[in-house]
Amino acid sequence: MSTSEHSPCQRCGAVIPASSPDSLCPACLMSGALGAQDENTLTVAAEQAPHRTEDEIFPREFGGYRLLGLLGSGGMGTVYEAEHAATCRRVALKMLSQQLDSPDLRQRFLREGRLAAAVNHPNSLYIFGSEEIEGVPVITMEVAGGGTLRDKLKKRGPLPASEAVDAILDIIDGLEAALSGGVLHRDVKPSNCFVCPDGSVKIGDFGLSVSTLAKDDSYLTATGVIMGTPAYASPEQLRGDDLDVRADIYSVGATLYTLISGRAPFEGRNAVQVVANAINSKPQPLADSAKSLPPGLERVVARCLAKEPRGRYDNYMALRNALLPFSSREPEPATMTARAAAGWVDFLIAFLVPYVILMVAVGNEEFHLRLFLERTLYGARYHLTFLGLGCLYFGITEGILGGGLGKRLKGLRVVRTGGRRPGFGRGLIRILVPVLSIEIVRIPILLVVISSTEVDQMTTLEIVAYSAAAALCPWIPASMGWWVKRDEGFATLWDRLSGTRVIVKQKGTVRPSVETAADLENLTKNAESIGPYRLIREIVPSRWIAATDPVLRRPVWLVRRSVQDISDVRCNLSRPGRLRWLQKVETAEAVWDVYEAAQGIPFSSLTEGGNQVPWKQLRHWLHDLASELWLAAQDRTLPAELSLDHVWIADRGSAVLLDQPWPGVETPAAPIPVGTLAGQQRFLHAVADCVEPTGLPLHARPVLQNLAGGKFEKLSFLTGILRGFLDRPAEVSRGIRAGALYLMPVYIGIMIFIGARQGAEWLYEIIGNSPLRIAIATAVAVWVGSGLVQLLLVPLRTTIGHATFRLAVLNGRGEPAGASTLLARWAIAWLPGLVPAGLALWLMDTGGNAVFATAAGLLLLWLLVSVTAVVQPNRGLHDRLAGTWVVRI
């Protein structure tokens, strides 16, 4: 290309250096390469694209492709819809503009293909190949089929908030997969988000992406190098600073802003003004442009658009969890069991603290009895203070914050219509209804029964009536929960009156990753090739070969074809549950099918030597396999037989179904015919049978038993149930185990402390006034009391802590432990120290310091044993001795 040093730029009139392409200066050239005109960037003219004329006719041949039509054009080139002649696969061909064809830009264009090929996720456009056709660099990629989000905005205008959030959640998934592969996108905007026919959205166009792993990437962000679309690029990106994931999170927020409002967050007459506004100004409030914007969503977008990276979300998981409540996904109503456990914890926090303070400050008579002895409002002042402080806690936490500590621990959230927070008034109604249902019954009854005016005049009947009312009346609101219905969202009376509901807080699911085998060996200069692929090693000689695409630097598997031609449906599969078929390579000796090589390990390697898989991982793989079986049975791409050797676990934590059994196993697994629903369930049961039975939650056991019996009428039913398991707790965390262990001792300790305050004189006569002796005596009393309470609950096969935090104890067979096993477990945990501790309490007034030292030693030993249960929450020391395990219900 000839360029005059003195020719003016057709865009801005500046002098063009000799090194620049015709008609554009470097500034306009880069601006044109970075975005479309309506995104506040300059655009390279469409006439600069290769093979593009005004009278262009379709279809027409181009190398081994048949061009079917124009999909779009941009600064770097033109994208056509095409059909690959050899495979009949519909693809998108992205061609580098001839006007931009220079060694540096050609390298950058082909590098885009390599970076994009490193991302393999359902929400990222798949790259099939990168090559040169007729001297033109071409990237072959997946066709989304539904245009871009920018096209969607042009047709429909601003999107409803839930629809926009759904699209962004898909984009977040794709970007997160790219980041896990070491790729930072750097150009997220509506025109780079591609819509599929089913409504899902994929991220594409990795032209400005950088590798966060490669040390020799010449395009890594450097000071003074500014790339991106000004309307969507973060301030630090526009300044040329170093970037991390928070720069892409900014662009995601800007894209969401555009989808909801119909315009970019920063606009201007030219790119320079847009950059200035993006760096120095705040965007117009989203609520000014969007109607019916859910409360809270604007705060999420504003946090994404924070000027400084530290003000944004730190990672995609945090952003996903913030956006999920605003998606179209219907939240799951919280069950009454979960609500009861959470309510108990919140009740203790709300009312126990003021109870302790008032009991210590004014005593039992003034706090509890003065109301009934004096029958005046003044006499009820402490009781009303107690109720007021407790209700204040619920009004603030549930009304303003969306839930107290108990609900947060259980993953619950209080909302009103549209997912909004209830507000203080509604939060207050939620607690006043159950509190008043108690007090309206309790107070009138006691005012009638109690006629004494002094405490020492109270009769036995009055004392019994007071105690009975205190014990029984709290069951009034609890009984209201017995009549709620599942199909009504478990709505209670206070839910209905306050216009609120309790839901399970939506959050993203984190897949546990797996340790993969070592990376493939480096290629040698003399490596052999089959077609365009360079061979690395033979997994099975002449049958299964590991190779690499030298252009995309992507590993592939070459599998020797042993059957007739693969169906077109299988060739075009793009589901995450199957490997992508790339192409057929014919040699003189054989026909090879080329598949993408998923980094990971065979499932059978995880079960070698009788090893079992934790439920935390297996639940994801079961869902993946059930989903793929269901879909493959419909499109007839399911192999005739499957075994455990057909299951491949990708490094990102997903299960993939191989078309042929993995050959690298010493003892092949037995094949299972899967042509029928019964056979498909037998295969899934074989996978489920590899689970660790002692770590399997109780809620999953009936489903797996039904799977073993082949009782599901449709595989879609099983898939839906397994999907629900992904949102439920899979294991006992250390925090939950600690709460279950220490909840009752703490509660008993508080009660003993209050009781001791009421009778401190006689207690001090027994144990003395030494703070150490008092502390030891209190701790031992708590210990003894906790052990006795647990003994009384053995017939119920639970404890207060287990019931609150939804835990269960299993025996060695993986079944719920019976009363005899629980009794033995209790004896191992408590008897070695309970009897001596009881004697220590009995002899405190005569035993002297030796008794206290013994009690302190036993208490310390019990604490050390209990710590092992927290460190290993599934199986502490006493569980090991008793042969039991603790799991989630």
Side-chain angles (χ1 to χ4, degrees):
M1 301 178 185
S2 60
T3 308
S4 170
E5 188 77 40
H6 304 290
S7 4
C9 173
Q10 294 183 5
R11 293 288 182 184
C12 66
V15 174
I16 303 175
S19 58
S20 293
D22 290 343
S23 69
L24 293 176
C25 69
C28 291
L29 175 65
M30 186 55 66
S31 295
L34 300 180
Q37 203 165 12
D38 66 344
E39 288 170 346
N40 299 290
T41 59
L42 301 173
T43 306
V44 176
E47 290 78 13
Q48 297 163 353
H51 305 279
R52 182 88 189 278
T53 61
E54 292 297 330
D55 56 349
E56 198 166 37
I57 300 175
F58 297 104
R60 64 184 178 86
E61 303 301 319
F62 179 63
Y65 296 89
R66 184 176 178 82
L67 301 185
L68 303 176
L70 179 68
L71 290 177
S73 61
M76 290 295 288
T78 307
V79 182
Y80 294 92
E81 183 177 5
E83 182 179 89
H84 189 214
T87 63
C88 298
R89 175 189 284 135
R90 289 291 180 97
V91 296
L93 288 184
K94 183 174 183 178
M95 305 180 192
L96 177 66
S97 171
Q98 288 180 332
Q99 191 74 8
L100 300 177
D101 197 353
S102 67
D104 286 344
L105 288 177
R106 177 176 287 232
Q107 180 185 359
R108 178 177 143 198
F109 182 82
L110 294 177
R111 174 184 157 280
E112 173 188 348
R114 290 197 299 271
L115 284 176
V119 184
N120 183 6
H121 188 273
N123 295 112
S124 176
L125 283 184
Y126 191 77
I127 301 298
F128 292 107
S130 183
E131 56 187 314
E132 279 195 16
I133 301 176
E134 301 178 9
V136 179
V138 173
I139 297 174
T140 311
M141 68 186 85
E142 176 184 7
V143 176
T148 67
L149 288 179
R150 175 185 165 203
D151 300 331
K152 198 171 187 177
L153 281 172
K154 284 185 175 181
K155 292 178 182 178
R156 295 178 46 191
L159 304 181
S162 61
E163 185 178 348
V165 169
D166 288 344
I168 291 299
L169 288 173
D170 285 346
I171 295 304
I172 288 173
D173 289 344
L175 290 172
E176 190 172 44
L179 187 66
S180 66
V183 177
L184 198 65
H185 194 281
R186 300 201 306 174
D187 199 21
V188 181
K189 55 186 178 183
S191 59
N192 285 343
C193 301
F194 298 86
V195 183
C196 298
D198 63 359
S200 61
V201 183
K202 298 173 182 281
I203 186 69
D205 199 341
F206 286 79
L208 297 185
S209 301
V210 293
S211 171
T212 62
L213 304 178
K215 302 301 183 184
D216 58 348
D217 192 339
S218 60
Y219 291 95
L220 286 171
T221 304
T223 302
V225 178
I226 302 175
M227 292 183 173
T229 305
Y232 298 93
S234 65
E236 65 270 22
Q237 186 171 351
L238 296 173
R239 291 192 298 264
D241 297 339
D242 291 336
L243 306 180
D244 58 24
V245 64
R246 293 171 295 182
D248 277 355
I249 285 177
Y250 177 98
S251 300
V252 169
T255 301
L256 178 56
Y257 184 103
T258 301
L259 296 181
I260 295 175
S261 67
R263 58 184 182 81
F266 299 102
E267 297 177 323
R269 290 188 299 273
N270 51 54
V272 174
Q273 191 176 60
V274 174
V275 170
N277 291 337
I279 293 178
N280 302 314
S281 304
K282 291 184 178 181
Q284 181 180 345
L286 190 56
D288 293 350
S289 306
K291 298 179 180 179
S292 303
L293 189 67
L297 181 56
E298 185 172 14
R299 288 195 298 271
V300 176
V301 176
R303 183 171 176 182
C304 292
L305 295 176
K307 298 299 181 185
E308 296 298 327
R310 63 176 177 271
R312 303 173 202 145
Y313 294 96
D314 291 329
N315 50 62
Y316 287 121
M317 178 56 73
L319 177 57
R320 179 187 294 110
N321 289 339
L323 287 174
L324 274 171
F326 307 104
S327 69
S328 63
R329 180 178 170 184
E330 187 66 24
E332 177 187 354
T335 64
M336 289 308 299
T337 305
R339 292 180 60 174
W344 168 246
V345 174
D346 280 327
F347 175 82
L348 288 180
I349 297 173
F351 291 101
L352 194 58
V353 174
Y355 178 84
V356 171
I357 294 174
L358 289 170
M359 284 291 287
V360 171
V362 302
N364 181 57
E365 178 180 341
E366 291 294 324
F367 178 21
H368 286 296
L369 300 175
R370 186 56 54 190
L371 164 63
F372 305 105
L373 298 177
E374 293 185 357
R375 301 170 181 268
T376 62
L377 187 61
Y378 181 76
R381 62 191 183 280
Y382 296 119
H383 184 68
L384 293 175
T385 300
F386 163 72
L387 294 179
L389 291 174
C391 292
L392 183 64
Y393 168 87
F394 279 95
I396 294 174
T397 58
E398 295 200 348
I400 299 176
L401 303 179
L405 180 60
K407 287 185 173 58
R408 292 180 182 275
L409 288 174
K410 298 293 293 183
L412 307 182
R413 186 165 168 258
V414 182
V415 298
R416 58 179 296 195
T417 306
R420 294 173 292 173
R421 290 180 178 176
F424 181 78
R426 294 175 186 271
L428 204 56
I429 293 174
R430 289 183 52 80
I431 186 60
L432 284 177
V433 172
V435 166
L436 290 178
S437 69
I438 297 172
E439 297 301 287
I440 287 175
V441 174
R442 190 180 74 93
I443 292 179
I445 291 176
L446 293 181
L447 287 176
V448 171
V449 172
I450 299 176
S451 58
S452 302
T453 57
E454 297 295 336
V455 174
D456 55 6
Q457 296 176 356
M458 291 182 65
T459 65
T460 303
L461 176 62
E462 292 173 338
I463 295 174
V464 169
Y466 177 84
S467 301
L472 297 177
C473 287
W475 286 96
I476 296 174
S479 65
M480 296 179 184
W482 298 343
W483 311 106
V484 300
K485 298 178 180 179
R486 176 180 291 273
D487 56 1
E488 296 178 353
F490 301 104
T492 60
L493 177 61
W494 47 92
D495 292 331
R496 299 177 187 278
L497 292 177
S498 62
T500 62
R501 56 179 176 155
V502 182
I503 61 171
V504 178
K505 186 177 181 180
Q506 299 182 47
K507 58 182 180 179
T509 303
V510 179
R511 284 179 176 265
S513 58
V514 296
E515 294 185 6
T516 60
D519 292 334
L520 298 176
E521 297 89 344
N522 293 326
L523 285 171
T524 62
K525 292 183 178 179
N526 299 322
E528 297 182 4
S529 298
I530 293 181
Y533 302 101
R534 306 284 296 279
L535 307 188
I536 296 177
R537 62 185 177 93
E538 290 188 304
I539 300 172
V540 177
S542 301
R543 279 187 53 208
W544 197 308
I545 300 175
T548 187
D549 182 330
V551 178
L552 295 180
R553 302 176 187 174
R554 178 172 61 189
V556 297
W557 285 331
L558 278 69
V559 181
R560 185 167 183 162
R561 182 175 293 186
S562 58
V563 295
Q564 66 274 17
D565 287 346
I566 299 177
S567 68
D568 291 342
V569 176
R570 175 62 188 96
C571 291
N572 291 295
L573 277 187
S574 59
R575 295 195 295 263
R578 301 292 280 277
L579 295 179
R580 293 257 190 175
W581 182 88
L582 300 180
Q583 70 176 93
K584 176 179 70 174
V585 177
E586 297 187 47
T587 64
E589 297 81 14
V591 176
W592 298 89
D593 289 304
V594 184
Y595 295 91
E596 61 176 334
Q599 295 294 322
I601 55 177
F603 178 77
S604 55
S605 68
L606 298 173
T607 59
E608 291 177 348
N611 291 331
Q612 295 171 318
V613 183
W615 173 249
K616 181 179 180 180
Q617 294 177 311
L618 193 65
R619 59 179 180 155
H620 290 279
W621 303 340
L622 270 177
H623 174 258
D624 294 340
L625 294 173
S627 300
E628 180 54 39
L629 285 177
W630 174 42
L631 296 171
Q634 296 180 60
D635 59 25
R636 301 181 184 277
T637 60
L638 192 63
E641 294 182 332
L642 292 176
S643 70
L644 296 184
D645 297 332
H646 283 79
V647 181
W648 182 265
I649 306 302
D651 56 358
R652 64 176 183 267
S654 62
V656 179
L657 200 61
L658 302 178
D659 288 60
Q660 298 183 28
W662 177 253
V665 294
E666 295 182 1
T667 306
I672 300 173
V674 292
T676 64
L677 177 60
Q680 294 159 16
Q681 292 189 65
R682 283 195 298 272
F683 167 70
L684 291 173
H685 169 62
V687 177
D689 204 36
C690 299
V691 72
E692 288 181 353
T694 53
L696 187 63
L698 289 188
H699 64 258
R701 293 172 183 272
V703 175
L704 298 193
Q705 290 171 1
N706 291 337
L707 178 61
K711 296 182 179 180
F712 289 96
E713 296 181 4
K714 294 183 179 180
L715 213 55
S716 58
F717 296 169
L718 174 62
T719 303
I721 293 172
L722 292 174
R723 175 62 187 86
F725 286 166
L726 303 184
D727 296 326
R728 302 190 66 174
E731 60 183 357
V732 183
S733 66
R734 292 179 178 177
I736 292 294
R737 192 76 168 101
L741 280 171
Y742 302 126
L743 175 64
M744 183 51 61
V746 168
Y747 181 74
I748 292 177
I750 292 174
M751 294 299 102
I752 289 177
F753 172 75
I754 294 173
R757 291 284 301 182
Q758 301 302 310
E761 293 183 3
W762 65 267
L763 181 62
Y764 293 154
E765 291 178 1
I766 296 175
I767 63 176
N769 291 320
S770 168
L772 179 61
R773 289 168 67 94
I774 293 174
I776 293 175
T778 303
V780 172
V782 170
W783 182 24
V784 173
S786 301
L788 292 177
V789 169
Q790 288 206 21
L791 177 61
L792 294 174
L793 293 174
V794 164
L796 300 178
R797 300 168 67 175
T798 188
T799 67
I800 297 296
H802 285 182
T804 300
F805 293 97
R806 305 288 291 157
L807 303 179
V809 179
L810 305 183
N811 58 26
R813 297 184 301 275
E815 302 168 344
S820 59
T821 302
L822 292 176
L823 183 61
R825 178 178 182 267
W826 177 89
I828 291 172
W830 295 94
L831 276 186
L834 195 59
V835 173
L839 291 175
L841 285 177
W842 182 263
L843 299 174
M844 271 185 183
D845 58 338
T846 60
N849 292 331
V851 172
F852 280 94
T854 302
L858 291 171
L859 179 63
L860 180 62
L861 180 62
W862 184 88
L863 286 173
L864 291 176
V865 172
S866 70
V867 168
T868 66
V870 175
V871 174
Q872 297 178 321
N874 186 242
R875 203 178 193 202
L877 179 60
H878 64 293
D879 282 308
R880 293 179 182 275
L881 296 175
T884 56
W885 283 260
V886 179
V887 299
R888 299 298 294 259
I889 292 180

